[in-house]
Amino acid sequence: MSKPRDASARIERLRREIEEHNYRYYALDRPTISDAEYDRLFRELQELEAAHPELASPDSPTQRVGSAPLPQFESVTHEVPMLSLNNAFGEAEVEAFDRRVREGLEVDEVEYNCEPKFDGLAISLTYDEGRLVRGATRGDGYTGEDVTANLRTLRSVPLRLRAKHPPTRIDIRGEVIIYRDDFDRLNARQRESEEKEFVNPRNAAAGSLRQLDSRVTAGRPLRLFAYGVGQLRGKDLPASQDALLDLLADFGLPVCVERRVASGAKGLLKFYRELLGKREALPYDVDGVVYKVNRLADQERLGYVSRAPRFAIAHKFPAEEAMTEVVAIEVQVGRTGAITPVARLKPVFVGGVTVTNATLHNEDEVRRKDVRVGDTVMVRRAGDVIPEVISVVPGKRRSGAPAYHLPRKCPACGSAVIRLPDEAVARCSGGLVCPAQRKQALLHFASRRAMDIDGLGEKLVDQLVDAEIVKGPAQLYRLGLEALSGLDRMGEKSARNLLAALEKSKRTTLARFIYALGIRNVGEATAKDLANHFGDIDALMEADEAALQEVPDIGPVVAESIRKFFAERHNVQVVEALRRAGVGWSETARTRPARGRAVGKTFVLTGTLPDMTREEATALIESHGGKVSGSVSRKTDYVVAGVDPGSKLAKAEELGITILDEAALRKLLG
Ligand code: IVH
């Protein structure tokens, strides 16, 4: 048993150290220890505190696990009200906002601070002399609920501000959110314990924060982003919103890095477009951006109209979710026979486009969501992702609507639909007999990253296959002007263009060619690896599974797919027919040089690099013989980290992998 004095010092150190790691993880987004080490420190502290109850403190990180349930929430009056923002939809409304602000301030140009509009719920944290004393929800803006016990469970909420001379009192305003990954895990957990799933991260965050039992809240992955200040005593405000956010970051609060000072309506719209472009890559939901006049003195001059400030506006992104009706459920047959149920929808505007089809993924998903014809459903279309049905809106089902079942026979060829016991997808067993599979295989063959045959689209492939003009890819190269000109919507000019595109595609690379064959489990990266390793197609076709597994990153499953593919005489014939048709590649077209500073090295990219896109960095590494992989493992040699790196950086640090920035990468490659 340790002496109390030593224990007290150790406890104090552990508390400080753990909070420091919380800060590095949540505020800096740069953890420096592994989860396992963190857990070890945490357990040590718990044990010491248990042995020395007299040293307990409400500010200990161990107290972030929640406490006994409250009978109800007390109400809290906000000294400075928590107002809402007016919305702008469209550029004209943003221009009008900027005009009003310029007129109000009687200036020609105004500087704004641009921030994401987080899709969570607003809260206020009160710190007295730097110690967290209260946390409250927004409520009606004037009175909210006291959720201190719940907010104390968030590791991203500092229990003490990092400041030598903290203000006497400060209300910090921010948004409580759940990251999308965390949300998916939370719902998976809900599913496993047969509890109700949450509709979206915002609802989950709201439900979690409004728990009378803070132990429940402690188990939910809530996070905070700070974006403003309410009352402030014993310290002066900085001059601008962006300096205010810097100050909050210095205090140890998580402040989002996606913020920028911009001038004029043009600058605002540029920020909007950039953030919209990044929307899907962000780990959390953002429903727009917020523009705030940067100078706080100017904010005060502009003041408020009714319940919203004149100095700020929210510019909303197109909604990613919408309600509509399922008109029918059909299935699509993919290149490898995979059967995908698809909901045909009453047209609905979502994610910036009109959507008429949404995927239902697979049989299990249809069953889990219990989607039926005639149902009213929520549809989601985020970025370029295929629209999906996310849930059925309860209480709107027509009585007698039957449950949906996948067809037993392929709608395209009548072959049996088979689902292997360990697979989520059902497949048409027709193989190349099935016209749907043949069409998809041709579309894949012609796609941009494969043979890149411009002009060979869905409509054309449908006709070529249905009229039995083309059965396999090699026959594409036998097409002539006459055959093509006879097709629907095919003038002589487009026919000539297509023939030129076909001709051009004959000069390709081995990697593209392998990818174009559409071997199951062989994506672009694997195709490059195979091309690089074997150097020619004959060696690849002859390789047995052991030889295939000598290629880095190729395991037994992929090796088996490749071997099975070339074991089919038909596939070998396709390769030969293509070569006879004149498809070829020069040895120099090999994707990765055998010599170079990065030969044999595997790189992983994370975050945004200052002067290179991800594609450029990949090309640079590959041109030096290196390989770029998507995930960090013990086989990774280098992680190249830019701004806003993700969890890959933490993983790399955990595994002790060398981390490079862009400059170091360039230096390494010379
Ligand atoms: S500032 C007086 N900044 O939007 C200005 N709000 O409609 C008060 N929100 O209740 C809000 N991100 O929940 C501000 N960067 C941001 C925000 C933000 C999300 C929410 C907040 C507020 C609502 C206002």
Side-chain angles (χ1 to χ4, degrees):
M1 176 109 180
S2 51
K3 281 201 239 93
R5 272 264 290 293
D6 295 354
S8 159
R10 179 72 187 145
I11 284 177
E12 203 34 55
R13 249 200 82 149
L14 281 167
R15 286 177 183 163
R16 230 174 298 136
E17 212 174 311
I18 291 168
E19 287 301 344
E20 176 69 24
H21 289 304
N22 286 341
Y23 168 69
R24 289 189 193 175
Y25 188 90
Y26 291 102
L28 301 182
D29 198 11
R30 257 197 327 262
T32 49
I33 59 167
S34 66
D35 291 357
E37 268 174 276
Y38 180 93
D39 293 342
R40 199 183 55 68
L41 294 175
F42 201 88
R43 268 198 308 277
E44 186 187 343
L45 178 58
Q46 278 178 320
E47 282 161 16
L48 276 174
E49 288 181 346
H52 301 278
E54 73 283 4
L55 298 174
S57 156
D59 283 355
S60 172
T62 55
Q63 302 309 299
R64 290 185 183 274
V65 293
S67 45
L70 303 168
Q72 64 181 64
F73 294 121
E74 301 293 325
S75 58
V76 174
T77 307
H78 300 300
E79 289 299 323
V80 173
M82 297 178 74
L83 301 178
S84 53
L85 293 166
N86 286 325
N87 289 325
F89 299 93
E91 307 202 340
E93 291 182 28
V94 174
E95 281 158 6
F97 162 73
D98 175 55
R99 194 176 323 118
R100 286 195 303 275
V101 169
R102 279 186 285 120
E103 284 166 8
L105 296 173
E106 299 177 303
V107 292
D108 291 335
E109 194 165 72
V110 178
E111 212 176 61
Y112 298 92
N113 193 60
C114 309
E115 307 166 13
K117 186 169 192 297
F118 309 103
D119 199 6
L121 68 160
I123 54 116
S124 182
L125 297 163
T126 305
Y127 290 86
D128 281 352
E129 309 292 352
R131 297 187 58 183
L132 176 65
V133 295
R134 180 174 299 120
T137 61
R138 173 170 178 270
D140 64 5
Y142 300 93
T143 318
E145 287 175 324
D146 186 335
V147 288
T148 314
N150 292 347
L151 284 169
R152 290 179 70 92
T153 68
L154 274 64
R155 289 186 191 165
S156 51
V157 169
L159 301 174
R160 286 182 221 175
L161 298 180
R162 302 168 68 90
K164 275 225 175 68
H165 305 289
T168 326
R169 165 166 288 193
I170 184 170
D171 287 345
I172 294 171
R173 303 280 160 84
E175 195 89 350
V176 168
I177 59 163
I178 293 183
Y179 275 21
R180 279 199 290 266
D181 277 4
D182 289 334
F183 173 77
D184 292 340
R185 276 191 289 267
L186 174 62
N187 259 356
R189 237 167 51 204
Q190 294 288 104
R191 237 185 348 261
E192 273 160 30
S193 54
E194 290 182 11
E195 279 177 87
K196 217 172 144 241
E197 287 179 54
F198 298 100
V199 184
N200 56 36
R202 198 178 64 78
N203 285 6
S208 303
L209 199 60
R210 297 200 64 261
Q211 288 286 338
L212 288 167
D213 188 342
S214 52
R215 290 167 301 194
V216 175
T217 313
R220 302 280 170 81
L222 298 171
R223 289 182 180 242
L224 172 74
F225 274 127
Y227 55 63
V229 164
Q231 65 170 332
L232 175 62
R233 287 194 222 151
K235 199 176 183 84
D236 288 334
L237 277 172
S240 62
Q241 169 70 10
D242 85 295
L244 180 69
L245 294 182
D246 289 342
L247 179 71
L248 295 181
D250 289 344
F251 280 166
L253 286 137
V255 173
C256 178
V257 292
E258 309 293 339
R259 57 180 166 117
R260 179 147 7 107
V261 175
S263 286
K266 263 212 180 110
L268 300 182
L269 295 174
K270 184 159 177 268
F271 179 81
Y272 176 89
R273 282 191 288 267
E274 283 172 8
L275 201 73
L276 186 56
K278 275 195 214 168
R279 187 182 194 182
E280 279 322 295
L282 296 174
Y284 42 83
D285 282 350
V286 163
D287 59 351
V289 297
V290 183
Y291 311 129
K292 300 174 183 171
V293 169
N294 199 27
R295 280 194 47 193
L296 299 188
D298 288 343
Q299 290 193 0
E300 200 158 326
R301 263 181 73 197
L302 287 164
Y304 300 80
V305 239
S306 66
R307 302 198 51 199
R310 279 203 194 86
F311 57 80
I313 200 159
H315 186 186
K316 301 294 281 274
F317 286 157
E320 291 184 319
E321 286 175 17
M323 218 175 1
T324 187
E325 202 179 298
V326 177
V327 180
I329 301 177
E330 290 169 9
V331 297
Q332 270 171 1
V333 186
R335 171 164 59 86
T336 56
I339 303 266
T340 307
V342 176
R344 307 280 174 219
L345 306 169
K346 239 186 209 164
V348 60
F349 193 72
V350 55
V353 298
T354 300
V355 165
T356 51
N357 299 312
T359 181
L360 290 161
H361 298 292
N362 57 49
E363 195 175 15
D364 291 345
E365 284 285 290
V366 182
R367 192 165 310 144
R368 193 167 71 70
K369 292 173 184 163
D370 188 21
V371 181
R372 305 184 185 190
V373 175
D375 277 356
T376 301
V377 291
M378 291 304 292
V379 177
R380 181 177 168 85
R381 179 190 179 271
D384 293 331
V385 184
I386 305 167
E388 60 168 347
V389 172
I390 48 177
S391 60
V392 172
V393 178
K396 296 204 169 193
R397 175 165 295 161
R398 297 194 192 124
S399 65
Y404 175 78
H405 296 286
L406 275 195
R408 296 199 184 158
K409 292 211 155 91
C410 171
C413 70
S415 306
V417 168
I418 290 170
R419 182 171 165 195
L420 297 177
D422 53 348
E423 286 202 2
V425 282
R427 288 175 200 277
C428 158
S429 58
L432 286 163
V433 169
C434 176
Q437 290 189 46
R438 282 213 303 268
K439 288 175 187 174
Q440 293 301 323
L442 286 170
L443 284 169
H444 171 78
F445 182 81
S447 64
R448 202 167 53 80
R449 314 190 86 134
M451 300 298 280
D452 193 18
I453 306 171
D454 213 16
L456 193 68
E458 208 165 315
K459 295 257 153 53
L460 189 55
V461 167
D462 280 351
Q463 293 186 65
L464 291 172
V465 172
D466 292 342
E468 297 192 9
I469 301 172
V470 170
K471 288 208 172 103
Q475 286 163 347
L476 289 172
Y477 294 99
R478 295 219 298 254
L479 288 171
L481 208 49
E482 214 171 308
L484 283 175
S485 306
L487 298 174
D488 252 15
R489 301 202 223 179
M490 185 46 92
E492 193 186 314
K493 182 145 183 279
S494 5
R496 281 190 196 281
N497 286 345
L498 179 63
L499 291 176
L502 278 161
E503 199 51 40
K504 187 167 155 232
S505 75
K506 287 182 184 172
R507 287 179 305 281
T508 186
T509 64
L510 179 56
R512 277 175 176 271
F513 182 77
I514 295 170
Y515 174 60
L517 292 174
I519 306 167
R520 214 157 131 194
N521 299 314
V522 176
E524 240 186 318
T526 306
K528 278 188 190 171
D529 288 346
L530 290 167
N532 190 48
H533 185 87
F534 290 101
D536 72 68
I537 191 79
D538 297 304
L540 173 63
M541 289 198 291
E542 282 156 20
D544 60 16
E545 283 176 37
L548 287 163
Q549 285 192 53
E550 277 170 27
V551 183
D553 280 2
I554 289 193
V557 175
V558 180
E560 192 193 332
S561 301
I562 299 169
R563 212 238 339 116
K564 270 194 180 158
F565 183 88
F566 290 116
E568 300 235 7
R569 229 170 61 115
H570 161 85
N571 289 329
V572 176
Q573 283 166 351
V574 167
V575 171
E576 276 159 9
L578 284 167
R579 285 207 282 196
R580 271 201 309 279
V583 174
W585 47 89
S586 60
E587 281 313 304
T588 50
R590 275 175 66 166
T591 51
R592 205 177 301 145
R595 253 187 292 260
R597 294 197 175 201
V599 168
K601 301 285 183 219
T602 302
F603 294 70
V604 172
L605 304 171
T606 178
T608 312
L609 298 177
D611 297 315
M612 272 194 267
T613 64
R614 210 163 256 265
E615 287 69 32
E616 285 164 353
T618 304
L620 180 71
I621 290 166
E622 289 180 352
S623 73
H624 287 83
K627 196 170 112 64
V628 175
S629 157
S631 57
V632 177
S633 72
R634 284 183 202 285
K635 290 187 189 165
T636 309
D637 296 291
Y638 300 102
V639 167
V640 184
V643 179
D644 265 346
S647 57
K648 289 175 193 168
L649 181 60
K651 177 105 188 267
E653 279 169 345
E654 197 178 313
L655 295 175
I657 292 164
T658 308
I659 291 157
L660 308 172
D661 60 8
E662 185 183 316
L665 172 69
R666 288 184 192 275
K667 203 163 150 211
L668 177 82
L669 300 178

